[in-house]
Amino acid sequence: MDKIIIFDTTLRDGEQVPGCKLNTNEKIELALELESLGVDVIEAGFPISSPGDFSSVMEISKSITNATVCALSRAVEKDIDVAGQALKYAKRPRIHTGIGTSDFHIKSKFNSNREDILARAMQCIKWARKYTDDIEFYAEDAGRTDNEYLAKVVEAVIKAGATTVNIPDTTGYCLPHQYGEKIAFLKNNVSNIDKAVISCHCHNDLGLATANSISGIINGARQIECTINGLGERAGNTSLEEVVMIIKQHKNLGFYTNIDATKLYPLSRLVSDTMRMPVQPNKAIVGSNAFSHSSGIHQDGFLKNTLTYEIINPEEVGADSSRIVLTARSGRSALAYRFQKLGYEFNRNDVDILYDRFLKIADHKKEIEDEDLSEIAEAYQQKTVSYSK
Ligand code: KIV
Ligand code: ZN
């Protein structure tokens, strides 16, 4: 089994989301929770961006004992210096520095050329080595970078001392097979690739961030950059809980992570509350509907054997137990089950009669709650409603 390094960027890429900004105390609290979740690397912030972020990275560095603490910088000496200073107290400091390598970035952003960018990439790694030996290089917009040129840059930065090479699909453009082929190309065409870890950093603009990251590790990457609840610029980053559970569910892929999955759901809620960013109800793994069953066919199968409609036991990810939700699409077995949970023992004939009454009410309500069920049951027992059967 190969270990996949989990690099969490909730506090950096995730915090870039409008409305998600955190103060230093909030960042420290989340960093400690991330450490106890088992993440290997915590990207704590972008120290040059503001004095507040500088002190957040510094305080997180003091608080974290086991995980590597990482600070982002551009390929600019001043940025790298500030990142290095912010990491002064980190037990395991990592500087994450880099530059755009696609022609979009080289021409539009830097008004430059490939040779110049290559030289700047090497220079920033050499500069960062003044502060730590753990240096990660990012080739921004690698997803749209020509593979031959990307391979040249990657080879050069590894030679200059980069120990991790991050291949971001910054715009979320790649299809899973294309992203996988890119990683495979680097594995096969960069002579010193065995001296560095390849990292996936995928954005979700087309909803492919998780699929692309998995394709990346299948093709040779060994680090995934991700965030809790998939937070991040625009449509977000790869979601930590998704990649961790994919790796756990599909053991035949041959990977494992250090993550304690039972902490995923509570941490998802803590991040959502602290960042004031709700989790979409149908979000995989941590959405409020991820373990809810509402249609009659599904409920009947689930009540006979949970595995018919659930591949993950909610307890495995620290979520509340599965829910049988009652709507106008629900069936008799679900209704009987919910009555039973409330302490009402009805026979088949009773349930048939009550089901008609239930449907009449359910057609006018989105969801039938316990109080509605009690009312239906009491009215039936006291014969205060007339029934067609
Ligand atoms: O998406 C991206 O390319 C980034 C880099 C700064 C790593 O976030
Ligand atoms: Zn990003």
Side-chain angles (χ1 to χ4, degrees), residues 12-13 72 96 138 140-141 166 168-170 201 203 225:
R12 199 278 296 170
D13 219 323
L72 185 76
H96 188 191
Y138 65 84
E140 198 177 2
D141 205 15
N166 179 10
D169 184 20
T170 304
H201 179 111
H203 278 267
E225 308 198 1

Side-chain angles (χ1 to χ4, degrees), residues 3 8 53 127-128 202 254 314 329 340 343 383:
K3 174 167 171 182
D8 180 276
D53 220 34
W127 196 260
C202 298
R329 305 289 159 261
Q340 205 181 25
K383 301 200 174 14

Side-chain angles (χ1 to χ4, degrees), residues 304-373:
K304 286 174 177 146
N305 177 353
T306 57
L307 291 177
T308 44
Y309 285 100
E310 257 183 18
I311 57 164
I312 298 169
N313 180 338
E315 283 165 22
E316 225 185 299
V317 296
D320 298 335
S321 54
S322 313
R323 281 196 328 134
I324 293 289
V325 180
L326 291 178
T327 72
R329 305 289 159 261
S330 300
R332 286 174 177 73
S333 45
L335 183 64
Y337 168 81
R338 285 283 298 270
F339 274 135
Q340 205 181 25
K341 284 200 87 181
L342 288 174
Y344 298 102
E345 292 294 338
F346 292 123
N347 63 30
R348 255 186 114 125
N349 186 47
D350 293 330
V351 172
D352 278 347
I353 297 169
L354 285 162
Y355 185 65
D356 284 351
R357 175 84 189 132
F358 157 78
L359 277 186
K360 281 198 186 93
I361 301 172
D363 258 338
H364 298 284
K365 285 196 84 175
K366 289 214 183 295
E367 193 180 325
I368 297 291
E369 313 281 354
D370 282 350
E371 304 82 74
D372 305 305
L373 286 178

Side-chain angles (χ1 to χ4, degrees), residues 350 353 375-387:
D350 293 330
I353 297 169
E375 260 176 49
I376 297 171
E378 297 299 325
Y380 179 69
Q381 285 172 334
Q382 288 156 26
K383 301 200 174 14
T384 55
V385 176
S386 59
Y387 296 91

